[in-house]
Amino acid sequence: MTKNKKDEYTPSQIVNYLNKYIIGQNEAKRAVAIALRNRWRRQQITDELKDEIMPNNIILIGPTGVGKTEIARRLAKLANAPFIKVEASKFTEVGYVGRDVESIIRDLTDIAVNMVKSEKTLEVKSKAEDIAEEKILDILIPPVKKTTTTHAGENSNDEVNNEALQNQKTREWMKEKLKNGEMDKKMIEFDTASQNAIGMQVLGPFGMDDMGINIQEIMGNLMPKKKKKRKTTIAEARNIITQEEAQKLIDMEAVQKEAIERVENSGMAFIDEIDKVAGGGKSQGPDVSREGVQRDLLPIVEGSNVNTKFGVVKTDHILFIASGAFHVSKPSDLIPELQGRFPIRVELKSLTEDDFVQILTTPENALLKQYKALLQTEDVELDFSKGSIREIAKIATEVNEQVENIGARRLHTILTTLLDEILFDVPDKLPSDVVKITAETVREKLDAIVKNRDLSKFIL
Ligand SMILES: Nc1ncnc2c1ncn2[C@@H]1O[C@H](COP(=O)(O)OP(=O)(O)OP(=O)(O)O)[C@@H](O)[C@H]1O
Ligand SMILES: [Mg+2]
């Protein structure tokens, strides 16, 4: 059994990690941490019971911009798991024009294949580099051909040996030069295998791609791979040949097998806007298709086999995290079978002024840190006073209440407005190399806009 070390975070470690990026929302963090750990726990269990234990699918309920997607995204990163985010409202019932829900699994498998492939490429990289180096040496200093004449006397044999020895020495000397980059700028001509020699795009009939059949790939494999001569610098040649050799060293069949295993055991699908396919309204027309999407989702979440171009994927243990604002509809408006498949419900809270102060400053990717870094590149130090940060948070809360609550996204719009002038003036007009933002600056710049509701609708 392959055990991915990174999966072995304990729930509290997972929460600690999430805390670095997301402020508050402790309940949601706990729920996803337990779900992730339970999956790892399941993998430790003896085989028969293992298949009985289902993942803890979760519905995250909460207004827009409070961290639902962010939590799921960070979780997948931590787990090094194949992760896909889709919007439920983009799907249509099977048989209608639009994407059917099985494409979630196919896309997730694509992602996993790429993931495993790049890992494997990294593994064989140094070996591929060695081969590439030898190939370049072969071009620069062709190896001595062994003479096969039967009449060769001792003398000529010695000559060949001598030549071989000399050749070997020159190679060693050249290898040294190659290794320390002295040869990098020299030009070299070499053969590359160009994949689609004819360079034509093969398009399959409509819908074939959705069925997981890749015409391009099939045709590409049928067509002979033509060799093409190329002339580049040695540095570039080394890169190209290394790539090619790496491809040859990777066993694509094994990659696909591992990718499927990874999707089945650690894949995560984040289904956003699940509330948009819940009933709730009284309208009749679109409801039919909404319920259809839910019914189509059911077997996938419940566990079924989906055909992908890499093979059959069992969806039984993929972790599904659904999310929605549920303003109009409620989770109970989802069809009961689907509700049953998402046993864990967590509500995320609206963000407060204090949360905004934290969000602005503490996460590793905090907005203020981002802007500081941007201006740092121009040798300008952006300095936010404590009061200015409080003021920004206050205004964000105010506008969210008055106009529309878009959560932490409001901070983005406020900051772009606040910093607009500075971002434009630097580096042409430099007042000094330290730009101080105070509570005053913030009020001066934004107060008029905040007071005017119509204006703030458009600007903030
Ligand atoms: N609690 C939080 N802590 C830190 N940053 C946050 C928080 N909530 C939201 N953000 C930031 O706000 C932005 C939007 O958050 P996110 O995408 O998670 O919203 P959402 O809850 O998924 O909203 P929607 O329902 O519209 O999809 C992101 O850039 C995110 O970093
Ligand atoms: Mg979201």
Side-chain angles (χ1 to χ4, degrees), residues 210-312:
D210 264 359
M211 284 158 55
I213 299 165
N214 188 335
I215 299 287
Q216 186 90 40
E217 220 155 85
I218 295 168
M219 295 299 280
N221 287 339
L222 286 177
M223 279 190 269
K225 285 190 182 126
K226 271 210 180 145
K227 291 235 163 163
K228 208 175 92 186
K229 282 233 179 287
R230 284 192 69 173
K231 200 171 177 181
T232 67
T233 61
I234 285 188
E236 203 183 334
R238 189 194 273 138
N239 278 339
I240 295 168
I241 301 174
T242 302
Q243 289 272 333
E244 274 182 18
E245 291 304 320
Q247 293 304 313
K248 282 188 217 159
L249 288 170
I250 296 173
D251 177 357
M252 267 319 277
E253 231 167 90
V255 166
Q256 293 174 8
K257 199 165 154 261
E258 191 175 333
I260 286 181
E261 242 174 60
R262 206 178 284 189
V263 170
E264 290 180 340
N265 291 314
S266 70
M268 284 176 54
F270 185 75
I271 305 176
D272 222 343
E273 302 190 344
I274 192 85
D275 52 333
K276 303 246 169 83
V277 296
K282 265 164 245 120
S283 63
Q284 279 198 336
D287 271 6
V288 181
S289 137
R290 281 191 210 153
E291 207 181 299
V293 173
Q294 289 185 59
R295 293 216 174 276
D296 288 347
L297 266 174
L298 208 53
I300 291 175
V301 179
E302 208 153 52
S304 62
N305 294 339
V306 173
N307 282 315
T308 74
K309 64 181 172 224
F310 303 110
V312 176

Side-chain angles (χ1 to χ4, degrees), residues 132-155:
E133 208 167 74
E134 289 301 321
K135 287 206 156 174
I136 290 174
L137 277 174
D138 283 348
I139 298 168
L140 295 173
I141 304 158
V144 188
K145 287 207 181 64
K146 290 237 158 56
T147 43
T148 44
T149 42
T150 42
H151 307 294
E154 266 176 36
N155 265 349

